[in-house]
Amino acid sequence: MLAPLVTSRAGRLVDSISICNPSRTAGFAPEADLPTKIRGRALTTLNPRARGLYRFFAGLGLTLAAGTALADYTWNFPKPVTPIGRDTLSMHNQFMIIITVLFVVVFAIMIYSMLKHRKSVGAQPASFSGPRNALQWFWVLVPFAILLFIDFVLMGIPAFHAVIDMEDTRTRADMVLKVTGLQWKWQYEYPDSGIKFVSTLTTPRAQIEGTEAKGENYLLEVDNEVVLPIGKKVRILLTSTDVIHTWWVPQFGVKRDAIPGFLRETWVRIEEPGVYRGQCAELCGKDHGFMPVVVRAVPEAEYTAWVDKKKTEMAAAAAGSDKAWTKDELMAAGKAAYDKNCAACHQAEGQGIPPAFPALAGSKIVNGPLLSPDGKLIPDSHVDRVMNGKAGTAMQSFKATLSDADLAAIITFERNSFGNKKGDMIQPAQIKALR
């Protein structure tokens, strides 16, 4: 349809224009064919700049209207469930009111001044270039004083107290959670309970590649959730083993960088039970978008039961180091562990993404010696690479994050898959002895 007609200051109607090119739009006549008179008033042609602005705003209006019809927008923060999150939202709302009032007042004065003192109504420009009398100094200093009051009192004092409270991680802390970022997963440790595990993405590859419909928690689901008790102040320590990551859960109001070689701190006290999802908010490499955070907040009794269950699972995993595994058992466990920890870089079929992530298929290292004749670790061998990584490359050390059984299973699987046919295997007990 045609855009609304625009009236010039002289009262004449100016040309209506189509949002699309009239000559290319079905049902529209070219501009040259438009009638020269509408309601008895002569038409003029918009200049190119006005025509461009008009089309821009008309297109913008249609875009916003279409977006509103096709998308369900959320215009506010998610519901906060921690004191930090609640204070952040409260301050945000207060500051938005203040700056909105300032915006309206300032622009109202500007628009009034432009209309009142325009040349067409006979206004004459002032000849002074700075304040000369008391009234002029008043209009300079009073707004300045108001801005200082808003900045340092209305906004500054609440922000100061919020930051002090946010940084007070140790006062009355009930427990500690250590978070370590790795490409591209999180490791969690509960020092008081002796619990340690790695949390990785579980969204199926088919969903990521678009061959299946995306699930409800697409890219925000993990194999091992963080479990925390409600009503307890949890001091969170953050670090990283490779690059900078950011641990972020929007409903906690917490977003803190995990930096290699540094120990950062924050804290949460979750007030409502539930499952809260977040993700790494720092560009940390190829799979930055596949590094979710999932926290389950539960009552204290349920948390205690979870701790007992987790300790039992860890004891069972440790006992697996002393068990003699068959090759078939190691291959089955190795495939699952490989898909979870290695496939993101070296790919599902072991072809890698050279040069950053070398192929495992036909690799000289993978097909090299397993251990020395006396059962010792060979420097820069396959076992050494998996356990200790390689400095200066993207190959990280898995010795501190995977169990003896997982390490043995991955090594065995890689040496007997992707066209590699070494036929050998390594036992978890051997990995345990090499630590």
Side-chain angles (χ1 to χ4, degrees):
M1 63 185 218
L2 292 178
L5 297 174
V6 180
T7 306
S8 70
R9 189 178 66 187
R12 296 178 302 168
L13 293 175
V14 296
D15 233 346
S16 297
I17 59 173
S18 170
I19 292 170
C20 301
N21 187 336
S23 63
R24 297 184 182 180
T25 306
F28 292 92
E31 265 182 49
D33 297 336
L34 290 174
T36 57
K37 298 259 185 174
I38 292 183
R39 298 181 185 175
R41 296 183 180 181
L43 293 175
T44 61
T45 303
L46 289 174
N47 63 60
R49 179 178 296 178
R51 188 184 302 274
L53 288 173
Y54 198 74
R55 284 176 173 163
F56 169 77
F57 285 111
L60 180 62
L62 282 183
T63 302
L64 293 175
T68 303
L70 296 175
D72 179 18
Y73 289 106
T74 299
W75 295 103
N76 209 339
F77 286 75
K79 179 183 177 182
V81 294
T82 67
I84 291 177
R86 192 173 58 251
D87 288 347
T88 301
L89 179 58
S90 175
M91 284 188 297
H92 167 270
N93 292 340
Q94 293 175 27
F95 295 170
M96 283 299 296
I97 292 173
I98 294 171
I99 64 176
T100 300
V101 171
L102 289 174
F103 174 87
V104 171
V105 170
V106 170
F107 272 81
I109 294 173
M110 287 176 58
I111 294 171
Y112 168 79
S113 299
M114 288 186 289
L115 294 176
K116 180 69 174 177
H117 303 99
R118 65 189 189 276
K119 182 179 180 181
S120 61
V121 297
Q124 296 298 319
S127 59
F128 66 89
S129 59
R132 291 186 177 181
N133 54 47
L135 182 61
Q136 292 172 1
W137 276 108
F138 173 86
W139 284 111
V140 170
L141 297 178
V142 169
F144 179 68
I146 292 174
L147 289 177
L148 288 179
F149 176 78
I150 291 172
D151 191 20
F152 289 98
V153 179
L154 288 185
M155 300 173 73
I157 292 176
F160 173 78
H161 287 293
V163 170
I164 293 298
D165 190 41
M166 189 182 301
E167 296 298 326
D168 184 14
T169 62
R170 302 188 184 190
T171 302
R172 294 188 295 276
D174 297 297
M175 60 178 290
V176 175
L177 173 69
K178 184 181 178 184
V179 181
T180 303
L182 312 94
Q183 292 178 312
W184 289 272
K185 49 188 169 286
W186 298 100
Q187 177 180 276
Y188 297 100
E189 297 178 58
Y190 296 71
D192 299 333
S193 305
I195 294 174
K196 181 178 179 181
F197 59 86
V198 174
S199 178
T200 58
L201 177 74
T202 57
T203 295
R205 213 67 185 148
Q207 290 185 20
I208 296 173
E209 295 170 355
T211 57
E212 286 185 5
K214 293 177 172 52
E216 179 183 1
N217 297 310
Y218 175 70
L219 297 185
L220 293 175
E221 49 197 337
V222 297
D223 53 355
N224 289 311
E225 301 172 337
V226 180
V227 179
L228 296 175
I230 60 174
K232 300 292 185 181
K233 182 173 180 178
V234 182
R235 181 186 176 199
I236 301 177
L237 309 178
L238 299 107
T239 189
S240 170
T241 62
D242 36 49
V243 298
I244 299 176
H245 302 278
T246 298
W247 197 81
W248 177 47
V249 181
Q251 288 184 268
F252 293 174
V254 167
K255 183 180 181 183
R256 188 56 59 96
D257 287 347
I259 303 175
F262 290 85
L263 204 59
R264 310 292 306 286
E265 295 189 30
T266 187
W267 67 275
V268 298
R269 183 168 63 243
I270 308 172
E271 298 168 335
E272 299 180 18
V275 177
Y276 305 103
R277 302 178 189 275
Q279 58 196 127
C280 177
E282 185 67 61
L283 294 176
C284 58
K286 182 181 75 70
D287 277 0
H288 155 68
F290 306 95
M291 198 171 167
V293 176
V294 181
V295 179
R296 182 178 296 276
V298 298
E300 187 171 4
E302 189 174 338
Y303 171 75
T304 302
W306 174 84
V307 168
D308 293 338
K309 178 184 176 184
K310 206 68 180 177
K311 287 181 177 179
T312 302
E313 292 176 357
M314 292 179 63
S321 300
D322 301 321
K323 165 190 169 184
W325 292 55
T326 66
K327 183 178 178 182
D328 289 341
E329 289 176 327
L330 288 171
M331 289 293 290
K335 184 180 188 324
Y338 177 88
D339 290 342
K340 178 178 173 181
N341 297 282
C342 311
C345 299
H346 295 291
Q347 303 300 289
E349 299 302 322
Q351 73 270 27
I353 309 176
F357 308 111
L360 300 181
S363 166
K364 292 182 179 179
I365 293 177
V366 174
N367 288 283
L370 188 62
L371 296 172
S372 67
D374 57 351
K376 301 296 184 182
L377 187 67
I378 301 174
D380 209 30
S381 64
H382 185 203
V383 178
D384 185 38
R385 285 283 183 93
V386 174
M387 291 185 66
N388 302 311
K390 183 173 177 61
T393 72
M395 183 61 194
Q396 61 185 265
S397 169
F398 287 95
K399 181 169 63 175
T401 57
L402 296 182
S403 66
D404 299 331
D406 283 341
L407 290 170
I410 288 174
I411 293 169
T412 301
F413 175 76
E414 290 176 348
R415 296 175 72 81
N416 295 280
S417 302
F418 318 128
N420 303 324
K421 299 178 181 179
K422 291 298 294 180
D424 53 8
M425 56 186 282
I426 187 170
Q427 289 289 336
Q430 293 175 280
I431 298 292
K432 183 178 180 180
L434 293 172
R435 286 188 181 271

